[in-house]
Amino acid sequence: MYVPCAFLYSILLQHPLKDKAKPQINPALTTRLQRSRKMGKKEEQLAELLGTLGDFTSKENWDKFFTIRGTDDAFEWYAEWSELRNPLLSHLPPQPQILVPGCGSSRLSEHLYDAGFNSITNIDFSKVAISDCLRRNVRHRPDMRWRVMDMTAMQFEDEAFDVVVDKGGLDALMEPELGPKLGTQYLSEVRRVLKSGGKFICLTLAESHVLALIFSKFRFGWKMGIHAIPQKPSSKPSLQAFMVVAEKQVSSVLQEITSSFNDSSLALKGSQACGLLEAVEKENQIRRDYSTGSDVLYSLEELQLGARGDLTKLCPGHRFQLTLGGDSRFSYRAVVLDAQESSGPFAYHCGVFIVPKTRAHEWLFSSEEGQWMVVESSKAARLVMVLLDASHVSCSMDDIQKDLSPLVKQLAPGKDDSGAQIPFMMASDGIKQRNIVHQVTSTITGPVIVEDVIYENVDGDISRILPSRDLTFRRLVFQRSEGLVQSEALLSEEGSNNKVGETERKKTNSSSKSKRRGIQRRSGETSHQLKVYHGYLASSYHTGILSGLMLISSYLESMASTQKSVKAVVIGLGAGLLPMFLHRCMPFMHTEVVELDPVVLKLAKEYFSFVEDDHLQVHIADGIQFVRNVANSAAADEISAVQEKEGAHCYTEPTSSNRSCLESHVEGKVPSKVDIVIIDVDSADSSSGMTCPAADFVQETFLQTVKDALSGKGLFIINLVSRSQAIKDTVISRMKVVFSHLFCLQLEEDVNEVIFGLCSASCIKEDSFPEAALQLEKLLKLEHPEISQSIINTTKKLRQLK
């Protein structure tokens, strides 16, 4: 087989290269030579000779070198027998069957034989090396066996040996230029040919990439220790050799790696010692995580070794994650779930459910609770859920299915004697056509995409209103939040006929540059010159927010009938669809929108037909600070009224920093008390457990500030998105402390939950909901009664939180 680096040096010492041959020198092995000993002229010639090997996996090359070398004595690269004898012999059982792969012409087997271990089999893929060793030992060591064999494909029965002794063979296979493939094949063979209780003894320089492979392949069902080989005292720097001992266990219980050294006891300091200690600690941490039940990714190989029990048997309620692939064309992240018995009867013993990248972040597929719901509907006793990522975007489903088929068959429980096929199911992303209109990266929001999509199926109400074969929707996507679709608008020819659209056209006509850009954009959007239609809310949670206005519909009606303005503050602009809808269908409402990112405002104007006027204004500011200033301003107004003295103030004027938070491209006075506060912002911090809003917006101090900013009949609305019920409960408990009455709306197909807080001590009764809903319907000025009815229908889902 491939001759270990230990033997490479023995070749080089005996046969320096003649001056006329100047080959390319392998840099990795030359570095070892330089680090192993101070290079003189002879060593330089040896390094040049090593370079002539070229391909270290070529049997012909090694045959040539062994022919040149003849039967001269070998030089032991890693350690002399005097250094190696005691630590090696201490790990050998009595009368073992020993295999020495990649033996070359090393004396290691001869020393073992002379120490009383006569049942030794040596293999190497070089016929020349094996012939030389056989001639050298046939008389003096007649029981020693020699075979020409590839150590990555051994021709032995399973569990044929008690011990496998490797001196540098794995290191030679694991040259970085070659990658781990040959090393992986070799270690698989080692595991196969070892008996239960057998030992793999690997003499190595313990480089990080070598250790990483050994640790992963001998993780489950193996007890492992690492020992430093003693070195002769020397003033010359040299690499320390180590002995890794992996013992095959009956149990698959994970055990941490033990070592007979520490940082201070290692003879060698520097990168080799640090790298070894770091690798051992990293692997032990992985093993601790596995042992404590952490939700980690297993490999298929680890599972087959018993990492999660017997893979061939169904274990109801069992769930684990793994990576599939490696030798296949692609790599995949998957979740295996064994259905509860109560979910039966089952149509399939095993099924595969593929989730496309665009939907992998959804609660249904990314949360454990959602995944069990998929299992129940799949009617499979074992479901393998495969979550695709960016690496699979350019692949066809046929290619992915062909690649996955042999992998998932290894995960199927038991033996399917009926010959039934494993069905492949898929969660469609629901999109028939996608066109990216614009991409930009903001320093605040990160990557943002504006895209036009055509869905396979759309809401029945809008399809009746606009009977088109393919309705087009425009989406604003914040990529920082796992592809969060922040806003979604309907595009229609009807959108180009509204007054808002006309206002925007007048504004773009004032700038030739803007006009040209607008023409380019519209021509790239659709072939029918479609525009955003602001008379329809495509997002169900926006409809939910509107339906909650029913809770104060009496107050809204009284304000509208007396021609007074209802003051609303919306934190979070997005594409501006909710403020534009309010502006269009409730003309008596004066809306202040607070947006932190000017890039988002620019996108809303250029791609979603957002327009400001006297009743709709945007402030580029911090939302929390804006609400705080509203509350402070309202408190100051109340104090002034009590003092009944114009110009008398008993409060501190806002600082310049506070005032700067209110500055906007549109000059506008900060309102005093407001009637409605809507929080509709996403969170940039996924560690909070909430996609919406940011954690600061649900702190009790901010909630109290909101209440202080609201009028006596005021309504607080917050869009809450979290997959954790515990987090939702925490937010609700905080809101209960501040607000007199709470209501919630759980949307059936979304993880969005809209929470409503009332300031008033008196509260609308549930039996008054139908009447309040009718009041709200009369207030909504909409062209299509079907859209109004959709909002009213949603009010029926509102429930009070006790």
Side-chain angles (χ1 to χ4, degrees), residues 158-397:
D158 294 353
E159 299 187 349
F161 297 96
D162 300 293
V163 179
V164 175
V165 179
D166 176 319
K167 190 178 184 193
L170 180 61
D171 283 8
L173 292 179
M174 288 292 290
E175 284 301 322
E177 295 84 0
L178 301 177
K181 183 176 181 180
L182 292 176
T184 298
Q185 292 174 351
Y186 166 51
L187 293 184
S188 295
E189 285 293 271
V190 169
R191 288 201 312 270
R192 183 182 66 80
V193 301
L194 272 175
K195 298 176 182 178
S196 179
K199 294 180 180 180
F200 174 51
I201 301 175
C202 181
L203 301 168
T204 173
L205 293 180
E207 293 177 288
S208 59
H209 64 291
V210 176
L211 289 179
L213 185 66
I214 295 177
F215 291 163
S216 64
K217 298 304 177 186
F218 295 92
R219 186 173 285 153
F220 296 96
W222 297 82
K223 178 182 178 182
M224 185 177 292
I226 302 181
H227 314 276
I229 302 300
Q231 290 182 297
K232 291 181 179 179
S234 174
S235 60
K236 297 179 180 180
S238 61
L239 292 173
Q240 174 129 21
F242 295 88
M243 183 169 66
V244 178
V245 181
E247 183 177 348
K248 195 173 188 179
Q249 305 282 294
V250 175
S251 170
S252 61
V253 175
L254 269 176
Q255 301 182 55
E256 290 192 28
I257 299 170
T258 60
S259 58
S260 59
F261 55 83
N262 54 39
D263 195 8
S264 59
S265 67
L266 286 176
L268 180 71
K269 306 298 179 184
S271 60
Q272 189 192 17
C274 291
L276 172 63
L277 293 170
E278 287 176 6
V280 172
E281 177 53 35
K282 180 180 179 182
E283 174 63 19
N284 279 337
Q285 184 58 54
I286 292 173
R287 296 182 180 215
R288 285 191 289 269
D289 289 343
Y290 279 149
S291 298
T292 55
S294 298
D295 205 3
V296 291
L297 289 173
Y298 295 91
S299 68
L300 180 57
E301 188 175 50
E302 289 171 338
L303 292 168
Q304 290 171 333
L305 289 169
R308 295 300 300 264
D310 190 347
L311 198 60
T312 64
K313 296 180 179 179
L314 284 170
C315 184
H318 205 49
R319 173 186 178 274
F320 53 86
Q321 299 188 75
L322 72 154
T323 53
L324 287 171
D327 294 334
S328 62
R329 182 177 175 186
F330 307 112
S331 179
Y332 309 89
R333 183 168 70 90
V335 185
V336 174
L337 305 106
D338 284 355
Q340 298 285 1
E341 291 180 356
S342 58
S343 300
F346 302 109
Y348 315 106
H349 76 294
C350 184
V352 182
F353 193 92
I354 300 176
V355 182
K357 174 185 177 295
T358 53
R359 301 194 64 188
H361 68 280
E362 293 180 19
W363 176 86
L364 188 64
F365 308 116
S366 63
S367 70
E368 184 173 346
E369 185 180 352
Q371 290 168 358
W372 284 118
M373 293 175 65
V374 176
V375 172
E376 194 165 338
S377 62
S378 72
K379 294 301 178 183
R382 171 171 291 171
L383 187 69
V384 182
M385 184 179 290
V386 180
L387 300 143
L388 303 184
D389 57 33
S391 65
H392 308 111
V393 171
S394 60
C395 310
S396 70
M397 278 301 119

Side-chain angles (χ1 to χ4, degrees), residues 32 73 91 147 209 217 433 451 562 760 793:
R32 288 185 183 175
D73 289 340
H91 288 282
R147 294 186 63 177
H209 64 291
K217 298 304 177 186
Q433 183 178 324
E451 62 182 11
T562 56
S760 175
N793 289 340

